[in-house]
Amino acid sequence: QQPSEPSIHNISYLPPTLRPYAHLARLDKPIGTFLLLHPCLWSTALATTTVPLDTHAYALPDLQLCALFGIGSFVMRGAGCTINDMWDSQYDKNVERTKSRPLASGDLSYPQAWKFLALQLSAGLGVLVSLPHLEQCFWWGAASLPLVATYPLAKRYTPYPQLALGATFNWGAVMGWVAVRGEVDWTVVGPLYAGCVAWTLVYDTLYAHQDKVDDAKLGLNSTALTFGEEGTKPILAALAVG
């Protein structure tokens, strides 16, 4: 079954038995991986120790660390999509854009999704324990799991679900700094994290406008509905500038 959501990458080269898992992890839509990765790289770059300014030379971020964040972003973005679809499959069936997702369409069962999620989380754990400052990175990484597990529920209970998504998707702003320094300096990480959350509110509110009719029918929330037609542009402009 072909997805109703537009795909960026063609995954038809995969065996038919693997394609539903690829769709579940949004392998055909890699933009989410980059959105997850950018805060990691920004934080890593900020945390990288610089040499004295009068030498006009600076240390570059560790490429191996950046590669680990790249792999971790790919894996955990896919895990987040799996969790999202497991929570939302009953709603996805009634939304034009999402009705062909593997769980909503019946291409995959919940037991299959659970096994796939276990594989994804195991791979994510493998990346996490490969990071420098293992103890600190482990605990800060583990601290993100409640957000990863529950952010798909936000649209049912809060008019600002994109805020929950932003808090989850931009945890890399914390992880990058911890991986380099072994601690969190909130005077730097705090503004970076807040700015990244605002960035997520901008792009995901725009994204949510395509589902607002179906969301309203299903009793689901989004900032697209909360801000409304008149409020979206000025609010997003303020978030983008601020």
Side-chain angles (χ1 to χ4, degrees):
Q1 183 176 15
Q2 294 298 314
S4 57
E5 294 179 279
S7 297
I8 297 175
H9 284 270
N10 187 349
I11 57 173
S12 61
Y13 61 87
L14 292 173
T17 55
L18 295 182
R19 289 175 200 164
Y21 294 100
H23 283 306
L24 187 61
R26 312 290 196 274
L27 190 63
D28 54 329
K29 303 175 186 69
I31 183 62
T33 296
F34 294 113
L35 294 173
L36 202 65
L37 175 60
H38 276 93
C40 301
L41 299 183
W42 291 334
S43 184
T44 299
L46 286 172
T48 300
T49 304
T50 60
V51 298
L53 295 178
D54 57 7
T55 66
H56 302 289
Y58 298 87
L60 295 175
D62 181 83
L63 293 182
Q64 183 177 351
L65 178 59
C66 292
L68 284 171
F69 278 130
I71 297 169
S73 296
F74 173 78
V75 170
M76 292 308 297
R77 186 268 180 141
C81 291
T82 300
I83 293 170
N84 181 80
D85 286 10
M86 291 174 74
W87 280 119
D88 285 353
S89 65
Q90 296 305 312
Y91 293 104
D92 288 342
K93 292 177 181 179
N94 300 300
V95 177
E96 183 63 30
R97 183 177 61 84
T98 60
K99 65 184 182 181
S100 65
R101 287 179 175 176
L103 286 171
S105 66
D107 288 344
L108 289 178
S109 66
Y110 269 82
Q112 288 173 311
W114 274 113
K115 292 175 183 177
F116 184 51
L117 178 61
L119 179 63
Q120 291 171 300
L121 293 178
S122 296
L125 178 61
V127 173
L128 182 61
V129 299
S130 300
L131 293 174
H133 303 290
L134 175 58
E135 182 178 357
Q136 293 86 350
C137 282
F138 178 84
W139 289 115
W140 280 107
S144 71
L145 291 179
L147 289 172
V148 174
T150 60
Y151 85 84
L153 297 175
K155 67 182 73 172
R156 307 181 194 184
Y157 302 111
T158 172
Y160 302 99
Q162 278 68 27
L163 192 60
L165 177 69
T168 307
F169 246 56
N170 295 294
W171 199 255
V174 178
M175 295 303 300
W177 191 278
V178 174
V180 175
R181 299 288 185 96
E183 59 182 1
V184 179
D185 182 351
W186 287 108
T187 64
V188 180
V189 175
L192 174 63
Y193 185 55
C196 289
V197 171
W199 174 54
T200 299
L201 277 168
V202 171
Y203 68 69
D204 208 63
T205 298
L206 295 174
Y207 187 72
H209 270 276
Q210 65 187 314
D211 292 336
K212 61 187 176 183
V213 173
D214 288 321
D215 285 344
K217 289 179 181 178
L218 294 168
L220 299 175
N221 298 298
S222 74
T223 46
L225 292 171
T226 302
F227 297 160
E229 291 291 340
E230 298 298 323
T232 293
K233 287 184 179 180
I235 292 173
L236 296 192
L239 287 170
V241 173

